[in-house]
Amino acid sequence: MSIFGSVVNRANAQSVQETRRHISREESDFIVLSRIVMIIGLVFHHVFTLTGSEFYPRHAIDPSTAHIADYLNSLIHWMAMAAVPCLSVISGYLFFRREVVNYFQLLHRRITTVLLPSIAWSSFWFFLAYLAYIWGARNGHFGWLDYSFNQMGPKLYLDGALGIGRLPYAIQFWFIHDLVLTFALCPVIGWLASRLPLVFLLVLGGVWGFRGEFSPFFSPNVLFFFSVGAVAATTRFDFDWVVRILSPFRWIIGVAFVSLLVGRMFQDAHSLLASYKYLCLLRAVGLLAFILLMNSLTLRDNIALRILRYLSPFSFFIFAFHYPALEFIREIVREVPGYDSEFGMLVFFFALPALCLAVSVIMAQGLRWLSPSLFMFVNGGSSGSGRGS
């Protein structure tokens, strides 16, 4: 190993040690559970239209034509809108939850554990889709893979892999695109969060609540909620304070979130229900509801929570793998008789994400066995054993 590599490894180890030293056991378990629950939520979120149905979950439910599975699809799709806020808050909290924030060291670590693995994954999916599309064009398959591949060239690659001009081919990586841009602003975020926290959040919250587009970001969601996490990490308004303030209102928040979900599911009833501001409110209340839910599960022990804790170190791998893997698995499910029946669609709604999660973990375990260093790279710097930041 080179001297430079040794220095970087020691710096990374020091960074992880510092993060853990200032995060309580309750906070750590909260983050472990929240991270994997939100990733699983994204897997369900990206099921989109069920095979055998014509309902797209971002549209309003039509009771005259909707299937039972469509109601579940819509409910969980909108519920998972709180995933990006939750993951962004966690990212901001972890970045700034330390006595001394060494921006050079932390940004270097984010390059090696977030940016580079993401480029590798998104490039892999882009070129795999291109090859499958070219093959399918000759055989009448994989038409859904198209990403303007007839215009293949450097610009299309920059779009498809990095999201320069439009959503990347593996659509979940829009989150990484915005997160990396947010990392670049961390010195400014840290200065404002520590000196003018309330003013900073009020101004940024206004931008978030009134602007659905925020170039060069795909949306202001990541920047705003990352900054919320930064403020929580650098002021007295930390995890314990938030839980203590919210706990007396947990039932009110829960009922409010369910009501907002139902309103969005039937958004054709009023233009307000379909508006961007309504979606912002749903995200914000959903974040509060999930904070309270995850806090109620923190440090508890049962078989379901053990499974979630086991899966959590694979969160980045699952995040990077799940789409368009979902679509490839969908192709196989279409060969199962009865998949488009009422019962079949209901089973399919749960089976598709479950199969995707199972395949991703099996592949992750296999890769870790074959090449631990490669696995650690594509898993965002985590060994998959529960250690790492």
Side-chain angles (χ1 to χ4, degrees):
M1 180 182 293
S2 67
I3 295 176
F4 175 75
S6 300
V7 171
V8 170
N9 286 339
R10 285 197 299 271
N12 288 344
Q14 182 182 1
S15 173
V16 174
Q17 185 179 20
E18 287 177 356
T19 299
R20 288 177 171 173
R21 186 163 61 240
H22 299 295
I23 292 182
S24 67
R25 182 165 171 254
E26 290 80 3
E27 288 174 313
S28 179
D29 195 48
F30 173 88
I31 290 169
V32 164
L33 292 174
S34 298
R35 182 171 52 196
I36 188 60
V37 168
M38 294 302 104
I39 295 297
I40 292 174
L42 287 178
V43 177
F44 276 90
H45 184 76
H46 290 142
V47 169
F48 295 124
T49 300
L50 291 168
T51 305
S53 172
E54 295 183 356
F55 171 69
Y56 184 61
R58 296 199 178 180
H59 296 160
I61 284 272
D62 182 354
S64 65
T65 59
H67 304 278
I68 296 174
D70 292 333
Y71 285 93
L72 285 172
N73 191 13
S74 180
L75 178 66
I76 295 178
H77 184 88
W78 290 116
M79 190 180 295
M81 284 291 182
V84 165
C86 186
L87 292 171
S88 300
V89 168
I90 289 173
S91 295
Y93 194 78
L94 287 174
F95 192 100
F96 287 98
R97 186 65 167 174
R98 59 195 80 234
E99 289 181 358
V100 178
V101 179
N102 185 326
Y103 288 108
F104 177 80
Q105 175 181 301
L106 290 169
L107 291 173
H108 176 270
R109 179 164 174 78
R110 269 39 178 198
I111 289 172
T112 58
T113 62
V114 178
L115 177 60
L116 295 181
S118 297
I119 292 175
W121 271 107
S122 56
S123 298
F124 165 77
W125 282 124
F126 176 80
F127 287 114
L128 179 65
Y130 173 68
L131 294 174
Y133 177 78
I134 295 300
W135 177 86
R138 302 168 184 168
N139 300 277
H141 298 291
F142 299 130
W144 53 269
L145 283 169
D146 193 18
Y147 187 81
S148 304
F149 283 132
N150 61 327
Q151 303 173 22
M152 186 62 171
K155 183 180 183 303
L156 191 69
Y157 167 74
L158 291 175
D159 287 343
L162 305 181
I164 299 299
R166 56 170 166 157
L167 284 173
Y169 183 81
I171 54 177
Q172 68 271 30
F173 284 100
W174 79 263
F175 172 74
I176 301 297
H177 171 279
D178 281 14
L179 188 61
V180 169
L181 291 178
T182 302
F183 285 150
L185 296 175
C186 275
V188 177
I189 292 172
W191 190 90
L192 292 171
S194 61
R195 288 166 175 79
L196 301 166
L198 296 181
V199 174
F200 174 47
L201 288 187
L202 283 174
V203 173
L204 196 55
V207 174
W208 167 71
F210 289 94
R211 292 197 61 178
E213 297 182 1
F214 194 58
S215 182
F217 295 82
F218 283 112
S219 85
N221 285 301
V222 175
L223 176 61
F224 173 63
F225 286 104
F226 182 96
S227 300
V228 170
V231 169
T234 55
T235 67
R236 66 184 179 87
F237 307 109
D238 59 4
F239 173 80
D240 292 334
W241 182 88
V242 170
V243 171
R244 190 167 60 252
I245 294 298
L246 294 180
S247 290
F249 307 100
R250 57 188 180 277
W251 290 109
I252 296 174
I253 293 171
V255 171
F257 184 42
V258 172
S259 300
L260 289 167
L261 288 171
V262 173
R264 192 66 175 192
M265 290 170 64
F266 296 93
Q267 58 189 276
D268 282 352
H270 194 282
S271 59
L272 176 64
L273 301 177
S275 67
Y276 171 75
K277 293 181 179 63
Y278 185 92
L279 181 57
C280 286
L281 181 62
L282 186 151
R283 289 184 191 273
V285 176
L287 173 64
L288 300 181
F290 277 117
I291 286 175
L292 291 170
L293 175 61
M294 291 299 103
N295 181 64
S296 70
L297 300 176
T298 297
L299 298 183
R300 293 192 180 187
D301 185 36
N302 57 50
I303 186 64
L305 293 176
R306 289 178 193 174
I307 292 172
L308 290 175
R309 292 186 180 102
Y310 168 77
L311 292 175
S312 189
F314 300 101
S315 292
F316 188 88
F317 193 100
I318 296 170
F319 169 82
F321 177 84
H322 83 273
Y323 197 89
L326 277 169
E327 299 299 335
F328 285 103
I329 298 173
R330 191 195 301 266
E331 289 285 310
I332 299 172
V333 172
R334 284 197 181 100
E335 303 301 319
V336 178
Y339 72 87
D340 55 353
S341 66
E342 190 74 37
F343 179 72
M345 281 188 285
L346 190 59
V347 172
F348 172 79
F349 175 65
F350 291 103
L352 180 59
L355 283 170
C356 186
L357 286 167
V359 172
S360 64
V361 172
I362 290 170
M363 292 192 67
Q365 291 280 31
L367 183 59
R368 184 170 66 171
W369 178 74
L370 289 171
S371 177
S373 58
L374 178 58
F375 168 75
M376 192 168 181
F377 171 70
V378 300
N379 196 40
S382 172
S383 65
S385 60
R387 295 182 295 273
S389 62

